[in-house]
Amino acid sequence: MGILRPALVIIGASTQLLPHTYFLERYRKFRARYDFEDNEIPVRGDIQRRFDEVIDDINLLSCSSKIEKEHIKLFNVHDIEVFHAGSLYTKFGGVVGIPANFEYENINSITDGTISIQYPSLNWDLEAIKEFHSSLVLSENAQKFAMAREIIKVATLDPIYKFCNVLGDMIIAIAGYDLLYSKLNGTKQQKGIQAFCISITAIATFFLTALTHSTLDTYREKEVNEIMSELDSKYIQGGVEYYEKLSQKNKALRVLLGTRGTYLYTPTGNQAGLFGISTKLPNSDQINYFQTRLQNISSQLV
């Protein structure tokens, strides 16, 4: 056990770091979108142009470190959410994944070949489907807002922070297990006590890690919001639209996914957290935040 414990701690913590460093390219390929011949679908030229423009806009901010375009890669992600991985503070750089709906110009652009909901007990509510499709169409401002948000997150040390977080939590877990085991006077022959101690320690560690991750993610969301507010007002307008569309999509999925939808999403379009623990600020709060920023800009212009 003397060698096994440190090994388990390092392996457990490394799951938070390796996909963002040494295995970043493999992780990117796993999340990428492919055609029917298993070829990765390249990013469309106009979308790449918007991405480059966003980096240029962020680099104009005095509160932001300068971002080298060659250190961050844009790709098509197989999902309906924007995605990021890696960190610009490592030699591996970062990646930002954009979903297929960034290519949509209107609802007529949507096809089952690019967006479909694979769920056996899907509730085919026509109004909800219409709302879902409408939520996928984003303006250029909303797309650039979403890209900027992910770029700013890549320009942080979050993967390293989370590695240290899990490392610390697992050390605490082992110490907690030893303390509980000794209090119960457990021996190697008492398998029931061992199982009880492992179960209690595992549950406590899960909640501890979830809470600390949630705290970091929430802090990062607020920090990103402050940085985004320093950008052009078009980004703020894009932020309002982006979160309104995200809320609209969640409300539609709440209906379409039936029982599972009511578990995943709230009636107001927010994402429900596991056991009440959420890693994201509610969409309703985000909408209010950027609407307030827009109102402040308008009042200053009067």
Side-chain angles (χ1 to χ4, degrees):
M1 289 294 289
I3 298 176
L4 182 60
R5 285 185 174 184
L8 288 175
V9 170
I10 296 298
I11 292 172
S14 295
T15 60
Q16 296 293 317
L17 188 60
L18 291 178
H20 299 275
T21 51
Y22 292 100
F23 297 153
L24 179 62
E25 182 59 17
R26 292 186 182 181
Y27 189 27
R28 187 196 67 78
K29 288 182 177 180
F30 173 74
R31 297 298 300 266
R33 185 157 58 99
Y34 297 88
D35 60 22
F36 292 113
E37 296 180 353
D38 206 29
N39 296 314
E40 185 173 342
I41 299 174
V43 176
R44 217 167 62 182
D46 59 331
I47 296 177
Q48 182 66 55
R49 173 186 55 78
R50 290 173 195 167
F51 185 73
D52 293 338
E53 290 174 353
V54 172
I55 293 178
D56 291 337
D57 290 340
I58 293 174
N59 282 338
L60 293 176
L61 298 177
S62 59
C63 61
S64 177
S65 300
K66 295 299 178 283
I67 297 171
E68 300 293 337
K69 291 180 181 178
E70 60 268 21
H71 291 163
I72 185 167
K73 183 175 182 179
L74 185 67
F75 73 105
N76 286 311
V77 69
H78 182 67
D79 203 344
I80 56 174
E81 298 280 356
V82 286
F83 167 82
H84 75 274
S87 171
L88 298 183
Y89 285 94
T90 71
K91 68 177 182 179
F92 303 96
V95 296
V96 171
I98 55 168
N101 62 295
F102 273 45
E103 299 176 356
Y104 301 156
E105 296 179 0
N106 50 56
I107 294 180
N108 295 329
S109 306
I110 302 173
T111 64
D112 291 337
T114 53
I115 291 291
S116 62
I117 305 174
Q118 303 297 329
Y119 190 64
S121 57
L122 189 66
N123 179 16
W124 289 101
D125 185 289
L126 294 180
E127 186 61 31
I129 291 174
K130 182 179 178 181
E131 288 295 310
F132 175 71
H133 285 169
S134 175
S135 71
L136 297 177
V137 181
L138 300 174
S139 69
E140 182 172 336
N141 288 344
Q143 289 186 16
K144 292 177 78 170
F145 170 88
M147 291 176 182
R149 191 185 70 159
E150 302 307 308
I151 291 170
I152 294 171
K153 288 181 179 179
V154 168
T156 68
L157 286 165
D158 281 358
I160 298 172
Y161 290 151
K162 289 185 176 181
F163 167 79
C164 296
N165 171 223
V166 173
L167 188 68
D169 288 347
M170 294 192 72
I171 292 173
I172 292 172
I174 290 175
Y177 170 84
D178 288 339
L179 179 62
L180 181 61
Y181 193 66
S182 63
K183 291 291 184 181
L184 295 176
N185 297 316
T187 64
K188 292 183 179 179
Q189 288 73 32
Q190 295 173 306
K191 302 297 183 181
I193 291 179
Q194 285 184 330
F196 174 77
C197 292
I198 291 173
S199 299
I200 294 298
T201 303
I203 293 171
T205 304
F206 168 79
F207 279 103
L208 177 61
T209 302
L211 283 170
T212 49
H213 273 36
S214 175
T215 301
L216 174 60
D217 289 340
T218 301
Y219 167 80
R220 188 65 66 209
E221 287 282 349
K222 292 179 178 179
E223 183 184 56
V224 169
N225 285 350
E226 291 178 2
I227 296 174
M228 297 291 288
S229 298
E230 299 299 319
L231 291 168
D232 188 271
S233 61
K234 291 182 179 180
Y235 281 92
I236 303 177
Q237 292 171 351
V240 174
E241 178 190 340
Y242 176 78
Y243 285 111
E244 285 179 342
K245 288 296 183 79
L246 196 57
S247 179
Q248 179 185 3
K249 182 183 69 178
N250 290 349
K251 289 178 183 178
L253 288 175
R254 178 180 167 85
V255 175
L256 293 173
L257 298 181
T259 303
R260 188 185 178 195
T262 59
Y263 174 77
L264 294 173
Y265 308 106
T266 69
T268 56
N270 296 324
Q271 190 168 348
L274 183 63
F275 301 111
I277 302 173
S278 178
T279 60
K280 296 182 179 180
L281 292 174
N283 293 328
S284 53
D285 289 357
Q286 297 281 43
I287 294 169
N288 291 335
Y289 176 86
F290 287 105
Q291 282 180 338
T292 301
R293 290 291 183 174
L294 273 181
Q295 291 170 1
N296 292 340
I297 292 174
S298 299
S299 63
Q300 292 173 3
L301 295 176
V302 175

